[in-house]
Amino acid sequence: MSNTELLTAATARFAELLSHPEGVVAVISALLAGALIIASTMVKTIIPLRWLAVGSNVGFVIYGALGQAWMVLALHAVLLPVNLVRAWQMHRLTRRVRASAEAADLSGVWLRPYMKRRKLKAGSVLFRAGDQADRLYFLVEGQVEIVEGGYQIKPGQIFGEIAFFAPDRMRTGTARCVRASTVMSMDETTFKQLYFQNPQFGFEVVRMIAGRLSNDVRRLQQRLQPAVDEPKAPA
């Protein structure tokens, strides 16, 4: 079929749609859906992009149903729930992050819906010093120690996230279960998706890491303080 024939067929189809009220609604819906797709190219963050996609899906579903464009209807009927779920997930994460920031919560409990659960026996090693960092962890119950640092991870604390940002991506300590523990973990791919898709998530992770580093510095200062305060023996 030549370009002229295609144009003629499209024009005839357009005229047919405009000849009755349902067709007019279908055309307006398609035009609005197209405008939303164009607008989505100018959006930089994921949540507005998802809602624009939802709007365009709705427009094309209406067009497909009223204009009897069954392939268009089927495609966007499948994409609509996907975009709705993704938008809802990002909004839920944003609410959790905002609540965490307002409560000054450094535990990372808001990450739990995106993690996988594991049960470990006493003595199990999650990672060793020198291992490549590929997951971060959240202790649900039990007790984990960082062997080299000599400190304990308590239930409700996140750990292992700093290595994601280290230049060499290597673990600096060994995490061992002191007793039977339940641990949740997130892989690097999921972490990066959340980090880049939700700016508030990224800021909260940076704040959490800064808080963790500050605690480590204070802990080191407390260990060194006795040696500094100890009086020197007379010469």
Side-chain angles (χ1 to χ4, degrees), residues 106-122:
L106 299 179
S107 68
V109 68
W110 35 276
L111 290 174
R112 290 181 62 171
Y114 304 92
M115 294 177 141
K116 294 182 179 180
R117 180 183 296 261
R118 291 173 59 195
K119 290 185 178 294
L120 300 167
K121 297 179 180 179

Side-chain angles (χ1 to χ4, degrees), residues 131-137 164 169 171 186-189:
D131 286 352
Q132 190 74 20
D134 59 354
R135 306 188 78 84
L136 62 84
Y137 299 90
F164 275 173
R169 305 292 308 285
R171 299 291 186 189
M186 177 188 292
D187 61 69
E188 182 183 4
T189 300

Side-chain angles (χ1 to χ4, degrees), residues 52-112:
L52 287 171
V54 167
S56 68
N57 292 150
V58 171
F60 281 122
V61 165
I62 295 173
Y63 166 76
L66 297 181
Q68 298 183 355
W70 308 123
M71 291 298 294
V72 173
L73 173 62
L75 174 62
H76 289 277
V78 170
L79 291 176
L80 177 58
V82 173
N83 283 315
L84 279 172
V85 168
R86 293 299 187 188
W88 175 76
Q89 287 177 336
M90 285 296 102
H91 272 292
R92 183 179 64 174
L93 177 61
T94 299
R95 288 197 302 269
R96 288 175 179 272
V97 170
R98 187 179 296 116
S100 173
E102 292 174 354
D105 178 17
L106 299 179
S107 68
V109 68
W110 35 276
L111 290 174
R112 290 181 62 171

